[in-house]
Amino acid sequence: MRRSASLRTGATAAYAPRSPGRPATPPPGRGIGSGRCGTRRDVNPFQRNRKARAASSRSPLWVWPTAGGAAALAAAILLEQFRPRPGTGPAGLWPGGHDAASSMLQVVATSSVTVATLSLSVTVVTLQLASQQFSPRLLRRYAHDPVLKAVLTVLLTTLVFALATLSFMRSGEALPVVSLVLASVLGVASLAAVLGFLNHIIRRLRVDSMMLDTHKEASDAIRRCHPARDGPSPYTGDNPAPHPEPARGAVVRARRSGFLRLVDARELVACARRGDTFVRVDVRPGDLIVEGNPVAVVWARTPGGRMPDPGADGTAEEIEAALKTGFERIPDQDVAFGFRQLEDIAVKAMSPGINDPVTACTAVGHMADLLVRLAGRRLGDIPHEDDDGVVRVVVPDRDLRYYLDLACGQLRRYSSGEPTVLAALLRMLRDLAAAVHEEGAESDAAEVRRAAELVMDTMASSVGPSDAAQVHDLHGRVLAALEGRLLDAYADRSGETRSV
């Protein structure tokens, strides 16, 4: 059975008395940390892999083009010195004279400026469309688009090389043949880069491509952050997490505002080990932190020990350094961010100015797959052990109700009068119900039932009897899937309960 604990911020909330029979920490198999790295054995949700590290540390847009321009200038200076005498073999690489070479370099430089302007104009239009019609949170993907950076790098490299070579042209001297040939090649490469960029941006402008990219990011985050439910339990059981008294904990407050982007559990474990303390983090990746908010609580590991003073011994600074914040969310450890972007697309599609229920239903389909993936994963608090197997840090996690409210909440309210979208939400819950029944998680089944009832309660009275009957039928299919009657849940006449 899985039961994802709802966590609250602050020392008192983090260790408030629990009801009888309810464990204060997750039972074995619920994502307890491993003894070697301070994280789970089968998955390290807070260790960024290469892809995640690239996603969180992307360079600004100007870095690549600037580096390419500097390299082009250096290459032009070096190659300018290679001027074969007329009549020799290398001089035959350029059959024209000084006038033809100067004209070619001017054409290449002018064309590079023109196509660079075109590329930037197309990018601006793309950002405007993505922000207005889909979601402003999708702009992060375009601002760090490696294809755009590569195209601008090629164009600026071509421009700088052509201008530098043109400045070295002197009448009466031998031509820099290698530079002229390279400038010609760069001119052709710039044209190819622009054609490839136009093809790339056309593909990226499709809403299906945006949803697919978001779905892939969220799926990768789920795989990184949550181990499989049927995998081996990572909990050793020798050193369970302590249950300190709330009054003996020292609260660590945030010193800067922003979204929590990454949690470095290794740094937290090392910090707690040095001070022989136990740290409870009270924020999750994706949470908005305001300066002065409590973000963690520190206790002495030894029972009856003196209350720690994080501000005096440097623990507060180390904890703050381990909690990476920024002005925007990133998907590395934030599974909910993928749901938020898909929900944004669905809600935008249902706005009066767009009114596209099919796009909304497609976004719901992507969220259905993500929810089913979560149903087969461990959710809940994540204790982290040090090398000696001692639990030093507990990091909270989100539960299934949070994801269900995120996936259904806004969309069901904005689509209360559109039975097509309400039916799509119930189809999503039916798929999740089938997965939950297979896993045997009663608490998760209750959350699915609650979400289905909320969808039914939201349906407007203006929905016609025939359309309302379809919605009620799908609600019954959700309940059938929860009871394990899969044939009753999915049987239909012509696929009307599976497609839009």
Side-chain angles (χ1 to χ4, degrees):
M1 300 294 179
R2 177 179 65 185
R3 184 177 182 82
S4 299
S6 297
L7 303 175
R8 296 163 289 177
T9 303
T12 303
Y15 284 91
R18 309 297 180 101
S19 58
R22 180 180 178 184
T25 55
R30 286 289 314 283
I32 309 299
S34 79
R36 303 304 303 171
C37 303
T39 49
R40 296 162 172 156
R41 280 197 182 90
D42 50 345
V43 65
N44 186 345
F46 299 106
Q47 182 183 9
R48 292 180 287 172
N49 59 13
R50 293 180 180 178
K51 183 177 180 180
R53 188 180 299 110
S56 63
S57 60
R58 295 186 179 102
S59 59
L61 187 63
W62 58 268
V63 173
W64 290 15
T66 302
L73 180 59
I77 294 174
L78 293 176
L79 294 177
E80 184 271 339
Q81 302 175 11
F82 184 72
R83 295 173 179 264
R85 290 177 297 176
T88 61
L93 295 175
W94 181 258
H98 280 82
D99 293 340
S102 298
S103 298
M104 184 272 295
L105 291 173
Q106 293 175 13
V107 169
V108 170
T110 304
S111 301
S112 300
V113 174
T114 302
V115 295
T117 304
L118 173 64
S119 301
L120 291 176
S121 301
V122 171
T123 302
V124 170
V125 173
T126 301
L127 296 178
Q128 184 179 9
L129 290 175
S131 177
Q132 292 180 353
Q133 298 190 17
F134 306 122
S135 171
R137 274 153 289 280
L138 294 172
L139 300 186
R140 171 190 54 84
R141 185 174 293 111
Y142 290 97
H144 300 287
D145 188 359
V147 176
L148 174 60
K149 291 181 181 180
V151 171
L152 293 180
T153 301
V154 172
L155 295 177
L156 186 59
T157 299
T158 303
L159 174 62
V160 172
F161 188 84
L163 291 178
T165 303
L166 183 61
S167 66
F168 296 142
M169 297 290 293
R170 294 182 292 271
S171 61
E173 294 186 2
L175 294 174
V177 174
V178 177
S179 297
L180 295 176
V181 173
L182 182 56
S184 303
V185 173
L186 286 175
V188 176
S190 297
L191 177 60
V194 171
L195 293 177
F197 175 71
L198 292 177
N199 177 72
H200 168 75
I201 208 68
I202 290 173
R203 186 191 70 82
R204 294 293 295 271
L205 269 177
R206 298 175 60 246
V207 65
D208 292 325
S209 298
M210 296 181 185
M211 289 189 288
L212 181 60
D213 291 342
T214 303
H215 180 272
K216 289 180 178 178
E217 286 183 346
S219 299
D220 292 341
I222 291 174
R223 185 175 62 253
R224 288 194 303 265
C225 299
H226 302 289
R229 183 197 293 268
D230 56 358
S233 173
Y235 180 53
T236 61
D238 299 332
N239 296 283
H243 312 299
E245 299 177 9
R248 299 190 61 82
V251 178
V252 177
R253 299 183 181 276
R255 301 187 180 184
R256 59 178 180 269
S257 302
F259 289 100
L260 181 60
R261 309 175 78 179
L262 300 168
V263 177
D264 193 329
R266 293 180 182 272
E267 291 186 13
L268 291 172
V269 171
C271 172
R273 182 185 177 92
R274 283 192 295 269
D276 195 22
T277 57
F278 171 70
V279 178
R280 167 77 185 209
V281 178
D282 283 329
V283 288
R284 307 157 186 78
D287 287 353
L288 176 61
I289 301 174
V290 179
E291 183 179 355
N293 287 172
V295 294
V297 188
V298 182
W299 287 271
R301 179 72 193 184
T302 305
R306 187 179 63 178
M307 180 182 296
D309 188 356
D313 59 15
T315 301
E317 289 80 1
E318 294 186 41
I319 292 177
E320 185 179 18
L323 303 178
K324 318 295 184 181
T325 58
F327 67 94
E328 65 177 353
R329 298 169 68 175
I330 59 175
D332 294 28
Q333 296 177 2
D334 188 1
V335 176
F337 186 46
F339 283 90
R340 169 47 58 207
Q341 294 178 86
L342 292 170
E343 180 82 352
D344 285 348
I345 294 174
V347 170
K348 283 276 189 177
M350 292 307 300
S351 62
I354 299 177
N355 196 22
D356 182 9
V358 175
T359 295
C361 294
T362 305
V364 172
H366 284 284
M367 290 189 288
D369 179 75
L370 295 177
L371 286 172
V372 170
R373 291 173 186 266
L374 284 173
R377 300 281 172 167
R378 297 192 186 103
L379 303 178
D381 289 7
I382 310 171
H384 298 269
E385 302 173 349
D386 59 16
D387 294 335
D388 298 327
V390 177
V391 176
R392 294 289 182 179
V393 178
V394 172
V395 179
D397 194 12
R398 306 187 190 278
D399 57 13
L400 185 62
R401 172 178 290 196
Y402 180 92
Y403 290 111
L404 284 173
D405 289 343
L406 181 59
C408 301
Q410 289 184 346
L411 189 55
R412 71 167 184 264
R413 291 190 290 271
Y414 284 106
S415 308
S416 59
E418 178 50 66
T420 303
V421 178
L422 296 178
L425 289 173
L426 291 172
R427 283 197 299 270
M428 174 185 72
L429 295 176
R430 176 185 61 178
D431 297 336
L432 179 59
V436 165
H437 175 77
E438 183 179 357
E439 298 292 342
E442 296 180 0
S443 59
D444 290 347
E447 297 297 345
V448 176
R449 187 176 293 105
R450 169 184 172 274
E453 295 296 337
L454 289 175
V455 172
M456 298 304 299
D457 294 342
T458 309
M459 186 170 61
S461 58
S462 59
V463 177
S466 177
D467 293 330
Q470 176 193 9
V471 178
H472 282 283
D473 175 67
L474 279 167
H475 177 254
R477 293 172 182 270
V478 174
L479 300 180
L482 287 174
E483 297 171 0
R485 297 184 286 113
L486 295 184
L487 293 181
D488 295 337
Y490 285 92
D492 53 21
R493 185 191 73 261
S494 187
E496 64 274 8
T497 68
R498 295 175 183 261
S499 60
V500 181

